[in-house]
Amino acid sequence: MSESQSGEAAAQRDSAESVHPLVRVGAAWTWRLLVLFAGLLALGYVVSRLEAVVIPVALALLLAAFLMPAVDRMHRRGVPRSAAVLVAVVGTIGIVGAILSFVVQQFVEGLPDLSDQFTTSVTKAQEWLTDGPLHFSDDQIRHAGDNVVKAIQSNQEALTSGALTTATVIGEIFAGAFLALFTLVFFLYGGDQVWEFVTRIVPKNTRSRVRSAGRQGFNSLVGYTRATVAVAAVDAIGIGAGLAILGVPLALPLASLVFVGAFIPIVGAFVTGFLAVLVALVTKGLLTALIVLGIIVGIMQLEGHVLQPLLLGRAVRLHPLAVVLAITTGIVLAGIVGGLIAVPIVAFLNTAIRSLCAESADAAEEAYESLTRADPSTPMFPATPDEPDGPPSAGDARSPD
């Protein structure tokens, strides 16, 4: 190296050393975090473009986590794997179809009475507004109604365009349902082989750890789905029993909606239960609505302080703040379905990443132990004599014996 090059290198080294260590560390962290953020943005863009594929596959993975224990149990008892998958899938479709048909039938049968009670409640509300302490005039109420009608007429074009896209939305729903069902069958029949095929892109030295982390993440999904079904059943039974005791119409369909909504932790059951509060307000009055609201709040407290820690806490181990943030992010990105699959995705990643980190630490410890066990009498880092700074002198040179 020439003197000019060595001088430039020394100048660069001096300029780098003149920067405060905290600034250097902060800069190193910053550009790495920016790279990670760019990767997350790219992944989010790809997922948003492939939403019609990603969401059905995610739903199929959740259903597979729920049905896999039953399929494995039947297979261990001598039932062929294909027959076990067929029984599980057909049975699930039958149960879900029966529940949906029951809910729709109950709503259709109870809708006329509910409409009459709603009309009566609106009339009473108008009378209270005019004859009550507010003393609104009939002209003011009529003017408010005219404003609503004008708003609907002004947005008629948007409403019409939305109605025209109904057929497209229904087609997308059926296509997504078919893709989810098709994927579910393969997950149940040979999910382990699918995972091994996907992980072939991972380098060989880490492939086994990645596969193990994926299996542990899937096991957390199994526990999550079981616990969620149990929590949803408790919510639906508690709220449905309260509605039936109070004589609120459509108690069973409303309880079924609560059961479905409870699959979105923390907020799902409360939002669907608020519909029961509205029905109680319209049909039974303010006092009954307040009682229903108190029942829902009590059930939510039971869920948050007893059921979630006992059931979901063991399966997922997520902080409530992480659950709420995941649900909010999922709803913003993909609507109700995003809120449904957000927490399972976070739970899967949490378990898988923890497993990878633990296995990496175990691998490092095993490597260290293997080195120490190789030859205990030989030190790992043997000391070497210090070399002099300059070249050896003629007096230091010794000829071999």
Side-chain angles (χ1 to χ4, degrees):
M1 181 182 294
S2 63
E3 294 181 359
S4 61
Q5 291 178 346
S6 61
E8 292 178 358
Q12 293 177 357
R13 185 167 56 253
D14 293 338
S15 62
E17 291 177 354
S18 64
V19 180
H20 195 278
L22 290 178
V23 177
R24 293 200 299 269
V25 172
W29 273 100
T30 299
W31 74 260
R32 287 176 172 84
L33 290 176
L34 286 176
V35 171
L36 290 175
F37 184 69
L40 290 176
L41 287 180
L43 179 62
Y45 176 77
V46 172
V47 170
S48 64
R49 299 293 295 177
L50 300 176
E51 182 179 353
V53 177
V54 173
I55 290 180
V57 172
L59 293 177
L61 186 62
L62 280 179
L63 290 174
F66 179 68
L67 297 177
M68 188 68 76
V71 173
D72 292 339
R73 192 177 300 111
M74 288 187 288
H75 184 60
R76 286 194 299 267
R77 294 183 178 181
V79 180
R81 187 78 180 182
S82 57
V85 171
L86 181 63
V87 170
V89 172
V90 174
T92 302
I93 294 175
I95 293 174
V96 173
I99 293 175
L100 291 178
S101 62
F102 170 76
V103 171
V104 172
Q105 180 183 1
Q106 292 294 317
F107 267 114
V108 170
E109 292 179 355
L111 192 59
D113 294 337
L114 187 62
S115 301
D116 295 338
Q117 293 175 348
F118 180 75
T119 303
T120 304
S121 299
V122 170
T123 302
K124 292 181 179 179
Q126 291 177 348
E127 293 177 354
W128 183 81
L129 290 174
T130 55
D131 301 334
L134 299 179
H135 296 291
F136 284 105
S137 63
D138 293 336
D139 294 335
Q140 289 175 326
I141 296 176
R142 191 180 302 108
H143 182 67
D146 294 338
N147 290 336
V148 174
V149 173
K150 290 179 180 179
I152 294 175
Q153 291 176 351
S154 62
N155 293 286
Q156 185 174 4
E157 183 178 356
L159 294 174
T160 304
S161 62
L164 292 176
T165 59
T166 302
T168 304
V169 173
I170 293 176
E172 292 177 354
I173 291 175
F174 275 105
F178 177 78
L179 178 60
L181 180 62
F182 188 76
T183 309
L184 173 63
V185 171
F186 279 95
F187 281 167
L188 292 176
Y189 185 76
D192 195 50
Q193 288 80 6
V194 173
W195 177 239
E196 290 183 357
F197 175 79
V198 171
T199 52
R200 287 181 182 177
I201 62 175
V202 180
K204 289 184 178 180
N205 57 343
T206 58
R207 188 177 299 170
S208 61
R209 286 188 290 161
V210 171
R211 288 176 175 174
S212 176
R215 293 187 183 96
Q216 293 188 25
F218 184 78
N219 291 333
S220 70
L221 288 185
V222 173
Y224 171 82
T225 54
R226 285 181 170 182
T228 302
V229 170
V231 172
V234 172
D235 292 344
I237 292 174
I239 295 176
L243 295 175
I245 292 173
L246 295 173
V248 177
L250 305 177
L252 288 178
L254 291 173
S256 301
L257 289 178
V258 171
F259 177 80
V260 175
F263 281 90
I264 302 179
I266 298 177
V267 298
F270 183 80
V271 173
T272 52
F274 193 74
L275 180 60
V277 176
L278 295 178
V279 173
L281 178 63
V282 170
T283 58
K284 294 294 183 178
L286 180 61
L287 180 60
T288 303
L290 291 176
I291 296 175
V292 173
L293 180 61
I295 293 174
I296 294 175
V297 171
I299 294 294
M300 293 300 99
Q301 292 297 317
L302 176 65
E303 174 184 341
H305 293 87
V306 179
L307 299 179
Q308 294 278 359
L310 289 179
L311 299 178
L312 284 178
R314 297 178 180 177
V316 179
R317 294 182 181 180
L318 290 178
H319 194 276
L321 179 59
V323 173
V324 173
L325 292 178
I327 293 172
T328 305
T329 304
I331 292 175
V332 170
L333 295 178
I336 297 177
V337 179
L340 176 64
I341 66 177
V343 177
I345 291 175
V346 174
F348 177 87
L349 293 176
N350 177 57
T351 304
I353 292 173
R354 285 175 180 268
S355 174
L356 281 176
C357 294
E359 290 185 2
S360 299
D362 293 340
E365 185 176 355
E366 289 178 1
Y368 178 82
E369 291 179 355
S370 64
L371 289 174
T372 56
R373 289 195 303 264
D375 188 1
S377 62
T378 304
M380 291 182 60
F381 304 103
T384 56
D386 295 335
E387 295 182 355
D389 295 336
S393 61
D396 293 336
R398 294 183 175 88
S399 59
D401 295 334

